[in-house]
Amino acid sequence: YNFDAKKSSLAKATIDSTAESLKATVGPIINIELGKMSNGKYNLLSSDGEAIRIVLGIPKNFVQSYKTYVVIRVREGGVSTILKDLDSNPDTITFDTTGGAGVYAIVKY
């Protein structure tokens, strides 16, 4: 779902500082919660679980063919991870993550 910088100012600050360390421009930011339904109840998957591959489209107004794209993931506690693009499609970014909740930002440099 859409990211609200006002409600998650610490996550936004972490994204900005990580992007700055890469000399990167921050693009779209979204919240992702990876879980499952069991007996009518939703539970987050473990962040220590198996890898889950995600493919996101890069908005046309953010695409630049000569740039490198990565995803910055911020988890609870402010832990940030840089997730590299695993495909060569210039219109998407493909990365592996794990279950649980996090804020994900597409950045380019």
Side-chain angles (χ1 to χ4, degrees):
Y1 52 90
N2 289 336
F3 174 74
D4 185 341
K6 290 180 183 177
K7 291 181 182 176
S8 301
S9 59
L10 293 176
K12 177 67 166 89
T14 301
I15 289 166
D16 290 343
S17 67
T18 303
E20 185 177 318
S21 74
L22 297 170
K23 296 182 173 67
T25 302
V26 177
I29 304 172
I30 58 173
N31 289 313
I32 299 176
E33 293 183 357
L34 297 169
K36 66 177 180 175
M37 291 293 292
S38 179
N39 297 324
K41 186 174 180 182
Y42 179 78
N43 292 299
L44 291 175
L45 293 170
S46 171
S47 61
D48 295 330
E50 295 291 321
I52 300 167
R53 183 150 295 175
I54 295 179
V55 179
L56 298 175
I58 301 172
K60 290 182 190 238
N61 64 350
F62 196 65
V63 171
Q64 287 180 287
S65 60
Y66 58 91
K67 295 286 188 175
T68 298
Y69 289 83
V70 297
V71 169
I72 298 172
R73 177 186 68 200
V74 179
R75 293 271 171 104
E76 188 175 346
V79 176
S80 69
T81 306
I82 297 169
L83 306 171
K84 295 184 179 185
D85 190 2
L86 301 174
D87 73 12
S88 59
N89 183 339
D91 298 322
T92 67
I93 186 159
T94 301
F95 59 95
D96 288 339
T97 189
T98 56
V103 176
Y104 294 75
I106 299 174
V107 301
K108 63 183 175 184
Y109 59 94

